[in-house]
């Protein structure tokens, strides 16, 4: 009987770890209003008993708002890609709600150095944004949001009344609804009645790509600055409308860890962030420590994580007078898991997150005047820094009006002020034209973000980074720009709405052919739309000059030519398509009435090569970088309306590959794929695009014949170093992400549409391709000084110098294009988009002799 009783007790303890009453989480001695529903009464289970799905999370937030309207106002900020609602709960006292707009507008004056009036900080509430689970498979945050909403809506007593009078809380229960729901479904569908705690169990090992990402497999915690996704755009509007004093970002990490909260590594703070920010972060950390000490939770604060990349949720606020705080909780992944620290339950992870929700609010209330004054001082200091800065403005813009407009949209989402260029301007060797170029003054409230958008960085205090080390946006977007030592004499009006090129058919109805330039961002979309309609198109492999509207017009390499002869559709339909598609894709089309060129190749020349309609597949699944695959998917689907077919290994083995003429292989390993089948497909005429570490796999598999430069040792093998330094030495050699300048052959099919032989590429790997013996096989090479911005060790920089960024090789009738870098990085690297699209549309047109591999 004693054995049975003991087993019963063990089972009871395990089950209690899985399922906890509210008393386990909520602060002792607090009374709660019965009119506010508990989470269990709405979601159908106790907090932590199951992983809350997003629909139930939304249902609860709506129920709380309906039950406590005097404290809670619910706003739907938008919809995700999968049409899930994004919510924001504005929680404060009844009195504050009655003058909420007044509070908001007054609060924004803190971040406007041009406002010279007085502000009574003693009566202004602090504003705190609390956000949860931007990585969907880090669910303790979103589940803690249930408790946060209940506590703030239902808790009674003088302490809560005082808190709500002094603080406006913006509670975002799920930064990533699509990922959260995907992971909750996985964890719940594998939960056993009696818990299985073995980490090898399927419950703890979700299938590829996992719930971390959004619909397109992007890490939304890297998208705060570029803001390429609907979730980020919806959130940023409200962030900029409020400019909080504190923003919390609740994450999870490895199961064998404990609990982390910032300030993080002192040497890895972005140098643009004021020291006062870190001092206040440390002061807030003392509130977390006190509350976690009370419940006996282990934690750490000053190692492992940094505050460098401004595109992360916990760092983005630091550039705007706010205190961004990262929380990282050891993850149970499922419901109850064995770890090096014992059994880790899902409720325990939720309790730590909820505890720091309360400690953050305690800090905000206690430090309210100091936080408000810091925000005011921050923006005053920005005005002083801008006035003293050598660079007074940045000018940018080029021939591609679409990319210019997208760049402006990116900045305007952060309330960066942009002005029209009133007259043409020359800076060095660059000429910026009125109507195509714009000016960003340094003297504006968002000066710190202006710096992070435009500046290059080559000096660093540390050599280890949690994320990328460079993100100079004009280089990424492929947009000409220059620093100005003074504002133009005549700066035009402030831009309040984006202007895209109209797109016209110039010259009326053509008698012979239509032509359009390949330099516009959406030219591939237009070409693909024409091909979808059965229109035959050619690409110009040479420059030529024709008469358009009675005037000579020069056309560059890569011009798309649509002859009227031999079309399966009539001339009237072709003309109608040209009118419609030119407007939709914001590019001009030129009507040509004869085949004889003024100079260069005539329109019937063999240099005008027919373009096959791409049919694109992409290899995906275990071993493949979901991030890189998602970037390709997003680019082709969202920007060009030509989504790829995604093939996993099992499907690949039985698929009829002759349906596809392009296969994209992003970073990863592909040992489970049938390499012989892939090789046969290339030999039959397919175009294989290899990116980053997929090149190393392909070389080992015998698919490509190229040489990779060996990386030099990080340290002299003869040295004796302290044991504790080993992880730092190794991590310092990782290429976290830097911007490199390559030299591009503008006459090569992969260079079509570019007008500048200098191209900026993003490198985040140690794949260094030696230049091939064939002088025509490497259309992009690096020189002696390739680094434009970012941290690269001496050994890695030597590895990059004088290597090839892209190599093209033949295999039978097919082509293999090896790209050492990722031209689609995080959806904003539009400077590489044309390179990637050229590979898809023109890869098979590359002359075989130019791509013959070395022996």
């Amino acid at each position: 009987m004693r054995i049975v009783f003991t087993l019963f007790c063990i089972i009871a303890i395990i089950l209690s770890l899985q399922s906890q009453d509210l008393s386990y989480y909520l602060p002792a001695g607090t009374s709660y209003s019965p009119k506010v529903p508990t989470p269990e009464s709405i979601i159908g289970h106790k907090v932590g008993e199951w992983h809350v799905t997003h629909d139930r999370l939304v249902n609860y937030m709506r129920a709380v708002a309906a039950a406590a309207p005097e404290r809670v106002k619910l706003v739907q900020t938008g919809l995700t890609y999968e049409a899930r609602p994004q919510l924001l709960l504005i929680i404060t006292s009844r009195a504050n709600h009655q003058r909420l707009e007044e509070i908001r507008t007054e609060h924004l004056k803190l971040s406007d150095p041009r406002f010279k009036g007085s502000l009574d900080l003693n009566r202004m509430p602090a504003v705190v944004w609390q956000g949860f689970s931007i990585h969907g498979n880090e669910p303790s945050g979103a589940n803690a949001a249930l408790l946060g909403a209940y506590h703030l809506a239902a808790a009674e007593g003088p302490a809560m009344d005082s808190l709500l009078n002094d603080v406006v809380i913006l509670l975002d229960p799920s930064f990533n609804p699509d990922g959260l729901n995907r992971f909750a479904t996985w964890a719940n569908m594998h939960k056993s009645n009696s818990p299985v705690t073995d980490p090898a169990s399927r419950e703890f090992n979700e299938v590829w790509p996992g719930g971390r990402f959004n619909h397109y497999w992007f890490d939304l915690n890297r998208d705060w600055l570029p803001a390429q996704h609907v979730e980020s755009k919806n959130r940023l509007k409200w962030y900029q409308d409020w400019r909080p004093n504190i923003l919390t970002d609740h994450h999870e990490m490895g199961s064998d860890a404990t609990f982390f909260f910032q300030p993080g590594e002192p040497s890895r703070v972005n140098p643009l962030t004021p020291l006062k920010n870190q001092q206040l972060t440390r002061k807030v950390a003392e509130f977390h420590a006190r509350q976690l000490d009370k419940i006996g939770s282990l934690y750490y604060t000053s190692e492992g994580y940094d505050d460098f990349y401004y595109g992360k949720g916990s760092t983005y606020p630091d550039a705007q007078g706010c205190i961004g705080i990262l929380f990282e909780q050891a993850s149970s992944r499922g419901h109850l898991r064995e770890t090096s620290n014992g059994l880790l339950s899902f409720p325990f992870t939720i309790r730590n997150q909820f505890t720091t929700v309360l400690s953050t609010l305690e800090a905000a209330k206690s430090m309210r005047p100091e936080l408000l004054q810091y925000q005011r001082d921050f923006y005053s200091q920005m005005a002083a820094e801008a006035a003293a800065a050598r660079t007074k403005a940045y000018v940018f813009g080029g021939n591609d009006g679409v990319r210019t407009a997208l760049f402006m949209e990116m900045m305007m989402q952060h309330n960066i002020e942009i002005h029209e260029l009133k007259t043409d301007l020359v800076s060095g060797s660059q000429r910026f034209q009125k109507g195509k170029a714009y000016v960003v003054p340094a003297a504006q409230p968002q000066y710190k973000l202006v710096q992070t958008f435009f500046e290059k960085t080559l000096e660093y205090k540390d050599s280890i980074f949690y994320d990328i080390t460079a993100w100079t946006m004009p280089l990424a977007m492929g947009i000409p720009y220059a620093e100005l030592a003074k504002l133009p004499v005549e700066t035009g009006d402030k831009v309040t709405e984006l202007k895209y090129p109209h797109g016209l058919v110039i010259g009326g109805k053509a008698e012979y052919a239509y032509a359009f330039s390949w330099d516009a961002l959406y030219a591939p979309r237009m070409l693909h739309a024409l091909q979808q309609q059965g229109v035959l198109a050619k690409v110009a492999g040479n420059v030529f000059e024709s008469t358009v509207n009675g005037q000579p017009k020069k056309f560059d390499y890569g011009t798309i030519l649509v002859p009227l002869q031999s079309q399966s559709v009539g001339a009237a339909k072709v003309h109608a398509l040209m009118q419609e598609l030119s407007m939709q894709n914001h590019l001009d089309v030129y009507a040509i009435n004869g085949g004889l060129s003024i100079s260069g190749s005539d329109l019937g020349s063999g240099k005008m090569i027919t373009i096959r309609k791409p049919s694109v597949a992409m290899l995906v699944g275990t071993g493949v970088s979901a991030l890189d695959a998602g970037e390709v998917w997003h680019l082709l689907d969202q920007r060009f309306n030509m989504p790829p077919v995604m093939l996993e290994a099992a499907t690949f083995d039985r698929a009829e590959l002759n349906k596809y003429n392009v296969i994209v292989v992003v970073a990863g390993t592909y040992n489970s794929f049938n390499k012989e089948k892939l090789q046969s497909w290339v030999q039959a005429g397919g175009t294989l695009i290899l990116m980053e570490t997929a090149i190393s796999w392909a070389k080992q598999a015998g698919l490509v014949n190229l040489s990779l430069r060996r990386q030099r040792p990080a340290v002299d093998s003869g040295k004796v170093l302290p044991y504790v330094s080993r992880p730092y030495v190794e991590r310092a050699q990782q290429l976290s992400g830097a911007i490199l300048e390559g030299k591009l052959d503008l006459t090569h099919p992969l260079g079509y549409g570019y007008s500048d032989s200098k191209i900026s590429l993003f490198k985040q790997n140690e794949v260094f391709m030696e230049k091939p013996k064939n002088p025509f096989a490497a259309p992009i090479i690096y020189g002696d000084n390739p680094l434009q911005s970012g941290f690269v060790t001496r050994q890695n920089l030597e590895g990059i110098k004088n290597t090839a960024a892209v190599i093209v090789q033949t295999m039978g009738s097919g082509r293999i294009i090896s790209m050492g870098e990722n031209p689609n990085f995080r959806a904003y690297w539009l400077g590489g988009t044309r390179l990637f699209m050229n590979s898809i549309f023109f890869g098979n047109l590359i002359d075989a002799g130019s791509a013959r591999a070395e022996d």
Side-chain angles (χ1 to χ4, degrees):
M1 285 297 292
R2 181 175 297 175
I3 294 174
V4 172
F5 178 75
T6 301
L7 289 173
F8 176 81
C9 290
I10 292 172
I11 293 171
I13 291 170
I14 291 176
L15 290 176
S16 70
L17 287 171
Q18 265 202 296
S19 175
Q20 297 287 355
D21 292 324
L22 286 177
S23 60
Y24 174 72
Y25 304 105
L26 300 177
T30 304
S31 60
Y32 292 88
S33 170
K35 73 174 186 178
V36 178
T38 63
E40 183 178 358
S41 68
I42 301 299
I43 67 175
H45 59 81
K46 294 178 180 179
V47 175
E49 183 180 5
W50 296 88
H51 286 245
V52 70
T53 54
H54 187 260
D55 56 325
R56 294 185 180 189
L57 181 66
V58 167
N59 288 344
Y60 183 67
M61 296 303 160
R62 287 177 172 160
V64 165
E70 72 283 355
R71 287 191 186 182
V72 182
K73 176 184 177 183
L74 184 144
V75 177
Q76 181 170 310
T77 60
L79 295 172
T80 68
Y81 285 117
E82 296 177 14
R84 289 190 173 86
Q86 292 176 260
L87 303 182
L88 191 67
L89 278 66
I90 304 175
I91 306 173
T92 191
S93 67
R94 180 194 295 270
N96 284 345
H97 270 296
Q98 290 174 346
R99 60 182 195 95
L100 193 63
E101 183 59 17
E102 177 190 339
I103 289 173
R104 187 187 71 81
T105 55
E106 187 178 34
H107 185 82
L108 288 178
K109 293 174 183 176
L110 293 169
S111 54
D112 186 359
R114 292 171 290 204
F115 175 75
K116 301 303 181 183
S118 61
L119 293 170
D120 187 357
L121 302 186
N122 290 323
R123 62 180 292 272
M124 291 176 64
V127 178
V128 177
W129 187 304
Q130 298 190 295
F132 304 91
S133 300
I134 202 164
H135 297 143
N137 62 357
E138 299 176 4
S140 58
N143 284 265
L146 293 166
L147 299 166
Y150 174 70
H151 176 76
L152 293 170
E156 298 177 319
M160 179 55 67
D161 292 340
S162 178
L163 172 67
L164 296 179
N165 278 329
D166 286 350
V167 183
V168 174
I169 301 135
L170 308 174
L171 191 147
D172 190 331
S174 173
F175 277 146
N176 180 5
D178 295 346
L180 178 75
N181 206 71
R182 191 184 315 136
F183 181 74
T185 301
W186 176 268
N188 290 338
M189 71 186 282
H190 293 99
K191 179 187 177 185
S192 300
N193 185 49
S194 297
V196 176
T197 62
D198 188 338
S201 182
R202 198 163 191 255
E203 178 182 357
F204 309 107
N205 297 279
E206 55 181 328
V207 295
W208 191 96
R212 178 182 178 89
F213 312 114
N214 77 340
H215 174 78
Y216 281 104
W217 310 336
F218 276 73
D219 185 336
L220 289 177
N221 195 42
R222 305 305 190 265
D223 195 47
W224 285 78
L225 197 65
Q228 297 297 297
H229 297 279
V230 292
E231 297 93 341
S232 303
K233 295 175 191 287
N234 295 336
R235 182 189 333 114
L236 283 172
K237 178 187 181 302
W238 285 85
Y239 181 95
Q240 291 300 331
D241 280 350
W242 275 98
R243 296 275 179 90
N245 300 106
I246 295 177
L247 183 142
T248 62
D249 190 14
H250 294 258
H251 287 251
E252 290 184 357
M253 55 182 166
S255 300
D256 289 327
T258 58
F259 189 82
F260 167 85
F261 51 91
Q262 285 179 312
E265 293 272 5
S267 61
R268 300 180 202 166
V269 176
N270 193 298
L272 298 180
T273 301
L275 176 61
K276 182 68 173 178
N277 172 284
Q278 293 297 292
Q279 293 171 342
L280 290 173
T281 305
R282 169 62 68 182
K283 193 170 181 179
V284 173
E286 294 172 4
F287 287 84
H288 307 319
R290 282 195 293 270
Q291 295 304 321
L292 290 169
D293 286 345
K294 288 180 182 179
I295 61 173
S297 290
L298 298 173
Y299 56 83
Y300 62 101
T301 66
S302 299
E303 57 189 89
Y305 294 92
D306 65 38
D307 249 344
F308 190 82
Y309 171 50
Y310 278 135
K312 294 188 300 182
S314 58
T315 312
Y316 173 76
D318 294 345
Q320 297 169 89
C322 177
I323 309 300
I325 301 175
L326 170 69
F327 297 107
E328 293 275 357
Q329 165 62 48
S331 180
S332 65
R333 291 297 175 214
H335 293 82
L336 187 66
R337 178 188 176 111
E338 297 169 13
T339 76
S340 61
N341 293 310
L343 288 177
L344 179 62
S345 73
F346 189 38
F348 179 84
T349 69
I350 296 169
R351 185 173 66 160
N352 276 348
Q353 300 277 25
F354 175 65
T355 298
T356 53
V357 167
L358 300 187
S359 60
T360 299
L361 296 176
E362 181 188 2
K365 175 177 169 51
S366 176
M367 297 169 58
R368 179 181 58 83
E370 190 175 9
L371 292 169
L372 295 169
Q373 186 63 55
Y374 169 69
Q375 192 167 46
R376 182 78 162 138
D377 292 344
F378 175 92
Y379 281 95
S380 296
Q381 180 63 30
M382 289 309 97
E385 287 187 18
R390 182 185 63 83
T391 299
K392 301 301 182 185
Y394 298 89
V395 59
F396 69 92
N399 290 329
D400 187 353
V402 172
R403 271 185 299 151
T404 300
L406 290 174
F407 182 41
M408 289 196 291
E409 178 190 33
M410 186 192 296
M411 289 189 285
M412 289 167 70
Q413 289 176 129
H414 307 287
N415 280 1
I416 292 175
E417 297 174 7
I418 306 168
H419 291 261
E420 295 177 349
L421 185 64
K422 202 165 184 178
T423 58
D424 291 357
L425 183 149
V426 175
S427 178
S429 61
Q430 293 181 295
R431 182 179 182 86
F432 297 93
Q433 293 179 271
K434 173 187 175 182
K436 293 184 178 180
Y438 299 84
V439 175
V440 176
Q444 61 170 292
Q446 291 290 62
Y447 172 61
K448 192 64 69 175
L449 284 182
V450 170
Q451 286 181 287
T452 198
F453 262 83
F454 284 94
E455 287 188 353
K456 298 176 183 178
T457 308
L458 293 168
E459 295 182 4
Y460 299 83
K461 293 181 180 179
D462 208 319
S463 58
I464 299 174
F465 301 89
Y466 189 71
D467 199 71
I468 63 176
T469 65
W471 52 90
T472 309
M473 292 302 182
L475 296 179
M477 303 283 283
I479 295 175
Y481 82 108
E483 299 177 357
L484 301 178
K486 61 180 181 179
L487 272 171
V489 176
E490 295 184 83
T491 301
D493 295 337
K494 180 180 175 182
V495 177
T496 56
E497 59 179 303
L498 298 172
K499 297 177 182 178
Y500 286 86
H502 292 297
L504 301 170
V505 177
I506 299 172
K509 193 172 183 179
E511 297 176 6
Y512 194 86
Y514 294 94
F516 59 89
S517 172
W518 193 246
D519 64 358
L521 178 66
Y522 290 138
R525 188 170 73 183
M526 179 158 174
L527 173 58
H528 185 255
L530 289 168
Q531 291 178 320
Q532 291 281 74
Q533 293 294 322
V535 175
L536 180 145
K538 295 173 176 284
V539 63
N542 194 14
V543 296
F544 65 100
E545 186 176 8
S546 291
T547 300
V548 176
N549 230 4
Q551 299 294 322
K553 169 67 181 174
K554 293 182 179 180
F555 294 92
D556 209 341
Y557 294 97
T559 296
I560 304 302
L561 185 72
V562 179
L564 294 178
Q565 186 187 37
S566 303
Q567 294 289 353
S568 61
V569 296
K573 183 176 181 180
V574 172
H575 181 68
L577 284 170
M578 291 299 172
Q579 288 182 309
E580 177 186 355
L581 294 174
S582 64
M583 289 188 292
Q584 290 179 1
N585 295 287
H586 311 289
L587 57 83
D588 291 337
V589 175
Y590 299 90
I592 301 175
N593 294 325
L596 184 65
S597 295
I598 299 171
S599 64
S601 297
D602 294 326
L603 301 196
S605 165
K607 299 280 188 176
M608 308 297 175
I609 310 169
T610 300
I611 308 166
R612 73 182 180 187
K613 178 184 171 184
S615 178
V616 183
M618 178 170 58
L619 306 189
V620 298
T622 303
V624 179
S625 167
L627 290 168
D628 288 24
E631 288 159 359
V632 172
W633 180 19
H634 178 270
L635 178 77
L636 294 179
D637 189 26
Q638 286 286 321
R639 296 208 191 275
F640 298 119
N641 300 332
M642 46 187 295
V645 174
M646 294 181 276
L647 302 174
E648 293 206 8
T651 309
F652 179 85
D653 285 346
R654 61 177 183 269
E656 297 178 17
L657 295 189
N658 58 9
K659 294 193 297 184
Y660 319 111
N661 50 39
V662 177
I663 292 180
V664 178
V665 185
V666 301
T669 56
Y670 295 83
N671 296 328
S672 56
F673 286 82
N674 186 331
K675 68 177 183 181
E676 288 78 16
K677 185 174 182 178
L678 184 61
Q679 184 176 29
S680 298
W681 172 84
V682 177
Q683 290 172 332
T687 299
L688 181 65
I689 302 173
L690 301 169
M691 296 163 62
E692 300 185 284
T693 55
I695 298 169
S696 302
W697 166 80
K699 177 175 171 59
Q700 292 174 355
L703 289 172
V704 291
N705 182 16
L706 50 76
S707 298
L708 297 178
R709 184 175 293 182
R710 293 185 63 183
Q711 198 174 1
R712 294 188 178 185
V715 294
D716 186 342
S717 59
K719 288 185 177 180
V720 177
L721 297 174
Y723 170 81
V724 72
S725 70
R726 182 175 178 270
Y728 296 95
V729 171
E730 290 184 348
R731 284 188 61 192
Q733 288 304 305
Q734 294 176 4
L735 222 164
S736 298
I739 304 174
L740 307 177
E741 181 180 279
K743 183 179 180 181
L744 171 64
D745 179 357
L746 299 179
T747 72
H748 194 282
L750 296 189
Y752 287 171
Y754 287 97
S755 58
D756 190 341
S757 61
K758 296 177 181 178
I759 182 172
S760 296
L761 297 172
F762 188 81
K763 191 165 188 68
Q764 202 176 20
N765 61 64
E766 287 81 47
V767 177
F768 310 133
M769 297 187 293
E770 296 282 8
K771 286 190 287 190
K773 293 178 181 177
N774 186 334
F776 307 107
I780 304 179
I781 58 173
Y782 294 125
D784 290 326
N785 188 26
L787 183 62
Q788 288 183 291
S789 185
F791 177 81
V792 180
T793 62
R794 178 177 55 83
Q795 292 86 357
N796 281 333
L797 189 58
E798 289 300 318
I800 294 168
K801 288 179 180 179
N802 299 304
T803 58
V806 178
I807 293 177
V808 185
Q809 295 183 341
T810 59
M811 178 181 284
S813 299
R815 304 290 181 270
I816 299 177
I817 301 171
S818 299
M819 296 185 178
E821 328 315 349
N822 177 5
N824 309 312
F825 184 68
R826 291 183 181 171
Y828 67 85
W829 210 272
L830 298 185
T833 298
R834 191 175 296 111
L835 172 66
F836 182 70
M837 299 310 292
N838 287 352
S839 301
I840 289 175
F841 280 97
F842 310 138
N844 68 305
L845 304 181
I846 297 171
D847 180 76
S850 73
R852 193 169 291 116
E854 59 192 70
D855 296 328

